[in-house]
Amino acid sequence: MMKKILNRKKINPSEPAFTGVKHEDELSLQEFKYNAEECLENPDYAPQDFQGFQETEHQCWLNIHGLHDVNTIRNICVKTGVHDLAIQDILDVNQRPKFQEYETYWFFTLKSILPANNSIIEQEQLSFILGSNFLISFQERKADYFNHIRQRLRNDEGIVRERGTDYLLFLLLESILDNYVKTINGIDGEIEKLGLIESDVDPSPSILKTIELYKRQIHQIKKTILPLKEYVSKIEREKTGFVQKKHLKYFYELRDLSLTLIDECDYLEVQLESSINLFFSVQGHRMNQVMKTLTTVATIFIPLTFLAGIYGMNFSHMPELDWKLGYLGFWLVILLVFILLLAYFKKKKWF
């Protein structure tokens, strides 16, 4: 299926367009308002009831499933004060992961993946709007990665209800990276099953095709992880922003995890590249063995064919034809040449 590409030459930024695939699920909103004392949950928040984030007594998290309802997404963003360009980036699912700082909020967008159980990695774009006391998360569809975070909010587990939305953002990003960890581990396990480092593996085109598939997947994963490391570097350079100083250490942890995943991707890429080189070396070695065998057989039969050709000529006067032991002598010469050539090739270690 071809991707729908945003035509930025013709489109009006005030009239955004969704570039993804419309899913069967309708757009839905879930709202959490929490502080250290309580957590108020609205699992079926009506979009028309949203009037922005006015109160300051609670931290607010608004999660949105579904981006195909462009008007609803735009209305929510307008009531929050989100810029038109950021709205278009939310709806453009082919947008490169990015971080943009605005006066009253930060805008994040990145890719998330589901742990791969087959040869296809499912990818989804996630966007975040982080303000002083609110966080909005946008998901393409109901592929929920955040149930455990909701459970922490409901049951007051951990410190999430004592902290601001910047810490909540850390938990969401950590959950996304956890999916990357599972996916990379899954690919690593599949590579081990192939037994690529074993010398007796048949370098068939199907295995080489599988290796190329894993290389593309790893490259795709690495490309989507790199921007997150850049996000943390930008947050680290911010003197005043929407991430509290006491929470910076958590984002540094995300940076370290991103670097670990990138290192793992580099290792797998090197392993796959080495496997391809090994396969071609094994294939070349086998081809050399075949050519050596064919050359040995051909070299042995060349002189034998020469002798047979001589005595196959139709000359009238060939003295050997009249000898009583001529036929036996011919075969003795053939055997002698055959044995001498075998001994010579054996000495040269051709076989």
Side-chain angles (χ1 to χ4, degrees), residues 164-228:
T165 51
D166 53 343
Y167 180 77
L168 177 63
L169 176 64
F170 155 73
L171 294 179
L172 300 182
L173 295 178
E174 183 185 45
S175 178
I176 293 171
L177 283 179
D178 183 66
N179 285 334
Y180 280 99
V181 172
K182 293 178 181 178
T183 301
I184 292 176
N185 289 338
I187 294 176
D188 191 12
E190 293 298 323
I191 292 175
E192 290 183 0
K193 291 179 182 178
L194 291 177
L196 300 180
I197 60 175
E198 299 176 5
S199 59
D200 58 345
V201 175
D202 182 22
S204 62
S206 61
I207 294 183
L208 294 177
K209 184 177 179 180
T210 302
I211 292 176
E212 289 298 329
L213 175 62
Y214 287 141
K215 285 181 63 178
R216 289 196 299 270
Q217 290 180 350
I218 292 170
H219 176 73
Q220 178 184 357
I221 292 172
K222 184 178 178 181
K223 185 173 66 174
T224 54
I225 293 175
L226 283 171
L228 184 57

Side-chain angles (χ1 to χ4, degrees), residues 92-132:
D92 184 9
V93 298
N94 302 317
Q95 170 70 41
R96 182 186 182 274
K98 66 184 295 185
F99 166 82
Q100 184 68 47
E101 180 185 4
Y102 292 90
E103 292 182 0
T104 58
Y105 61 90
W106 282 353
F107 170 68
F108 295 80
T109 178
L110 69 160
K111 303 293 183 181
S112 181
I113 57 177
L114 295 176
N117 296 320
N118 49 42
S119 59
I120 299 177
I121 292 181
E122 296 185 28
Q123 189 176 76
E124 176 188 3
Q125 175 161 302
L126 298 176
S127 300
F128 302 95
I129 303 292
L130 175 65
S132 58

Side-chain angles (χ1 to χ4, degrees), residues 93-347:
V93 298
N94 302 317
Q95 170 70 41
R96 182 186 182 274
K98 66 184 295 185
F99 166 82
Q100 184 68 47
E101 180 185 4
Y102 292 90
E103 292 182 0
T104 58
Y105 61 90
W106 282 353
F107 170 68
F108 295 80
T109 178
L110 69 160
K111 303 293 183 181
S112 181
I113 57 177
L114 295 176
N117 296 320
N118 49 42
S119 59
I120 299 177
I121 292 181
E122 296 185 28
Q123 189 176 76
E124 176 188 3
Q125 175 161 302
L126 298 176
S127 300
F128 302 95
I129 303 292
L130 175 65
S132 58
N133 70 322
F134 68 88
L135 174 66
I136 310 177
S137 54
F138 300 86
Q139 298 179 240
E140 285 187 58
R141 56 186 181 273
K142 288 188 177 180
D144 206 340
Y145 322 107
F146 308 138
N147 271 339
H148 64 290
I149 299 175
R150 294 188 178 92
Q151 196 68 21
R152 291 186 190 181
L153 287 170
R154 296 185 187 108
N155 301 333
D156 193 15
E157 298 175 350
I159 60 174
V160 59
R161 279 171 46 175
E162 302 172 6
R163 303 302 175 96
T165 51
D166 53 343
Y167 180 77
L168 177 63
L169 176 64
F170 155 73
L171 294 179
L172 300 182
L173 295 178
E174 183 185 45
S175 178
I176 293 171
L177 283 179
D178 183 66
N179 285 334
Y180 280 99
V181 172
K182 293 178 181 178
T183 301
I184 292 176
N185 289 338
I187 294 176
D188 191 12
E190 293 298 323
I191 292 175
E192 290 183 0
K193 291 179 182 178
L194 291 177
L196 300 180
I197 60 175
E198 299 176 5
S199 59
D200 58 345
V201 175
D202 182 22
S204 62
S206 61
I207 294 183
L208 294 177
K209 184 177 179 180
T210 302
I211 292 176
E212 289 298 329
L213 175 62
Y214 287 141
K215 285 181 63 178
R216 289 196 299 270
Q217 290 180 350
I218 292 170
H219 176 73
Q220 178 184 357
I221 292 172
K222 184 178 178 181
K223 185 173 66 174
T224 54
I225 293 175
L226 283 171
L228 184 57
K229 181 176 68 70
E230 298 174 4
Y231 296 166
V232 178
S233 298
K234 289 183 179 181
I235 291 173
E236 183 179 0
R237 292 194 295 267
E238 291 294 330
K239 301 301 181 182
T240 59
F242 300 102
V243 174
Q244 300 178 48
K245 186 176 181 180
K246 64 180 180 179
H247 292 156
L248 285 176
K249 57 181 176 290
Y250 298 109
F251 287 86
Y252 297 158
E253 183 68 21
L254 292 180
R255 180 187 59 189
D256 294 340
L257 180 56
S258 299
L259 291 174
T260 300
L261 291 174
I262 292 172
D263 290 341
E264 184 66 20
C265 288
D266 290 337
Y267 168 75
L268 292 177
E269 284 182 335
V270 171
Q271 183 179 358
L272 291 174
E273 192 66 33
S274 299
S275 298
I276 291 177
N277 294 334
L278 176 62
F279 273 17
F280 282 118
S281 297
V282 171
Q283 193 174 43
H285 176 71
R286 291 182 178 181
M287 180 62 69
N288 288 336
Q289 291 296 111
V290 171
M291 294 303 299
K292 184 183 294 186
T293 301
L294 293 176
T295 302
T296 302
V297 174
T299 304
I300 290 175
F301 276 90
I302 284 175
L304 304 184
T305 305
F306 172 75
L307 292 175
I310 290 177
Y311 291 100
M313 294 186 294
N314 295 323
F315 289 108
S316 299
H317 302 287
M318 295 184 70
E320 295 86 349
L321 298 179
D322 296 330
W323 292 354
K324 183 176 181 180
L325 299 177
Y327 179 75
L328 178 61
F330 173 79
W331 278 109
L332 289 175
V333 172
I334 291 292
L335 290 174
L336 180 62
V337 172
F338 180 77
I339 292 172
L340 289 176
L341 288 174
L342 283 180
Y344 176 78
F345 293 141
K346 185 69 173 178
K347 183 178 180 181

